[in-house]
Amino acid sequence: MSNAQDLLSILSNAGSSRSSIRPASSTSGIVETSILSFKAGKMNATFKPNGKYLVEPDMRRGELHVVYVSGPRPASSASTSTSTTSSLKLEWRDRRTKTTVNTYWVAANPSDDDNGTTDDVATFERVDTGRDGDRVYLLERSGRRRNFFWMQDADASRDDEHCVGVNAYIANRNEAASAAGIVVVDDD
């Protein structure tokens, strides 16, 4: 039965970099749109007695999704100039069970007085492991949270493209909104 699940997983992920839209809740009005996805496994870091971390791959087949979250601004918000708010998160999903296992918020709601920027700075970059052929990437958020991933697609030719895409969406919320099909109107 495992081979059938593998085949279904492969066939259903043939166009995995396309966006998909799903309502987060039917009553909240929040909409989540996957704007970029690619095959990637997560890695687990274990603290060792020598004071260092050992980073090892989780062998499950996974997918990393960049998800744009938009919805109505809470009523307690001080700003009345716009009625929606947005966030950006990465989700690691198990490709076999199709469930979200981990969520990593990379661009939280900006406050009303900070011109759309956030205090949470995130980067996604390749890690030099010192071994040829390793395709390990680090998601670092505000220098305090580090999560490692390894590319699982057999073809490494799009690794850099995925990395650039993740960083572009983290750095520019308007670009992420555009990828999600949301028109951004400046209040100027």
Side-chain angles (χ1 to χ4, degrees), residues 38-41 60-64 92-95 152:
F38 49 91
K39 295 176 183 177
R60 290 180 287 180
R61 295 175 185 201
E63 221 172 29
L64 197 60
W92 187 81
R93 299 179 189 171
D94 185 311
R95 283 190 284 154
Q152 291 182 329

Side-chain angles (χ1 to χ4, degrees), residues 45 61 107 138 142 169:
R61 295 175 185 201
L138 168 66
S142 295
Y169 293 138

Side-chain angles (χ1 to χ4, degrees), residues 74-91:
S76 62
S77 175
S79 174
T80 58
S81 64
T82 180
S83 61
T84 61
T85 186
S86 64
S87 303
L88 195 67
K89 63 182 176 178
L90 270 65
E91 290 181 342

